[in-house]
Amino acid sequence: MNPYLPIRKVPLDYNGISSSAFAVQMQHTDNEWKEAGVVGNSYMLLPNEEVKNAAHQVAEECKIDFVHDRTFFNGRNFVYSMKSQHVAGEVKPGDDVALGMQFWNSYDGSKAFGFAMMLYRLICTNGMMSKDHFNTYRFKHEPKSENWDENLEQVVSNINNLVGGKDMQGRGRLDNLIANLRKLDGLDVTTEKLGYIRHNYLQEIPVGIWGQIVDRFTHGTREDYSGWDLLNASTDLLWHKENPTITTYGQNAVIVDGLCRAVA
């Protein structure tokens, strides 16, 4: 589905009685508009094209290089992910993680225009999201407004300060995340430990998804299985899913944060 089709916000009414809600419609052909969602009058509705442009504008102003990785759109929710080669830390020799960032938007009011940092495993480009270790930022102004430069400057400063070590709190959370990833690499996941992690830290993950993760985790032959192997089996499944859903992104963060809590 093309995420960059023209959109419009039109008022709703019933038998001539106006509603405070508005329908968001996408133009699929010259004469065909289809509803994508319903939002309130004050909702800052942005075309996904502007969100993508904003992401590239932020990337151009940063001190490290970001490139587009993947785009998600289900007709309502939009996610635009970008990756860098800037090494944030080493989990083990030859296995580095790098910074990435993700921008969101929605046409149904479920996800406001915002962004957060994330990590990528460089040897396989698995994306790792975390709500525990990365703050989310909600944009208060749209790119066409006179206050957009203030928003842009704040976001770029946040990223540059994290990279440069000036954001002590942000750097502390990042270092803590990488330290937990190293602990996971040293965690021997026995059958007993796998069950303990599942039922104490990852109980939100549906049985079907958990079964696919365990199938990947136990595939092949090796002497031991680590927590880092379990995390990568999870992110490999979720990040590279052929037909992801918006829930897939949430499950990614649940697993990363849950496994980190298991070794914290």
Side-chain angles (χ1 to χ4, degrees):
M1 183 180 295
N2 183 359
Y4 306 118
L5 295 175
I7 61 169
R8 66 185 182 186
K9 188 167 74 171
V10 296
L12 294 174
D13 67 85
Y14 179 73
N15 289 338
I17 301 175
S18 297
S19 168
S20 60
F22 287 74
V24 178
Q25 300 175 342
M26 296 181 66
Q27 186 177 21
H28 291 262
T29 64
D30 288 344
N31 298 313
E32 183 183 27
W33 290 82
K34 293 184 179 180
E35 186 174 296
V38 175
V39 298
N41 182 43
S42 61
Y43 181 69
M44 186 173 74
L45 179 67
L46 281 180
N48 293 329
E49 185 80 38
E50 289 190 23
V51 176
K52 181 188 75 171
N53 293 340
H56 284 274
Q57 189 177 358
V58 169
E60 289 173 4
E61 297 290 334
C62 290
K63 293 180 180 178
I64 60 176
D65 294 328
F66 287 94
V67 296
H68 173 247
D69 177 41
R70 61 185 57 240
T71 301
F72 169 84
F73 182 62
N74 63 2
R76 300 174 303 280
N77 304 105
F78 177 75
V79 184
Y80 195 82
S81 304
M82 304 188 76
K83 61 184 178 181
S84 78
Q85 294 294 315
H86 181 82
V87 175
E90 181 184 72
V91 177
K92 60 182 178 180
D95 201 347
D96 297 329
V97 290
L99 287 175
M101 59 182 179
Q102 199 170 69
F103 290 75
W104 316 295
N105 190 39
S106 76
Y107 288 164
D108 62 357
S110 60
K111 194 77 171 176
F113 175 34
F115 106 107
M117 301 300 292
M118 56 179 292
L119 287 181
Y120 279 89
R121 188 187 186 199
L122 286 178
I123 64 174
C124 62
T125 65
N126 288 350
M128 290 176 279
M129 300 165 58
S130 171
K131 293 182 179 180
D132 287 354
H133 298 89
F134 292 118
N135 288 334
T136 58
Y137 182 92
R138 179 174 175 176
F139 291 94
K140 298 178 181 178
H141 305 284
E142 59 182 293
K144 291 182 179 179
S145 75
E146 62 180 14
N147 300 107
W148 169 244
D149 286 341
E150 296 176 12
N151 268 189
L152 178 65
E153 183 178 345
Q154 181 64 57
V155 171
V156 172
S157 294
N158 288 350
I159 297 171
N160 288 338
N161 288 340
L162 178 63
V163 172
K166 294 181 180 179
D167 178 2
M168 300 303 293
Q169 287 187 334
R171 187 68 220 188
R173 288 191 297 269
L174 177 59
D175 289 343
N176 183 252
L177 172 57
I178 295 170
N180 285 335
L181 298 181
R182 291 175 183 144
K183 289 179 183 178
L184 284 169
D185 185 55
L187 178 67
D188 183 22
V189 180
T190 62
T191 303
E192 181 182 0
K193 179 63 73 174
L194 185 64
Y196 178 80
I197 290 173
R198 161 62 170 163
H199 296 292
N200 288 276
Y201 297 98
L202 303 179
Q203 63 269 36
E204 294 179 40
I205 302 301
V207 171
I209 295 295
W210 178 249
Q212 294 177 58
I213 290 171
V214 173
D215 183 64
R216 289 194 180 214
F217 176 57
T218 56
H219 180 71
T221 57
R222 51 183 182 267
E223 293 183 359
D224 52 24
Y225 296 83
S226 72
W228 179 234
D229 293 328
L230 179 59
L231 187 148
N232 286 306
S234 305
T235 55
D236 182 62
L237 171 71
L238 297 172
W239 194 252
H240 300 289
K241 211 172 178 66
E242 185 175 349
N243 296 303
T245 66
I246 196 64
T247 304
T248 305
Y249 289 93
Q251 291 168 345
N252 184 305
V254 167
I255 289 172
V256 172
D257 288 338
L259 288 174
C260 285
R261 289 173 198 157
V263 294

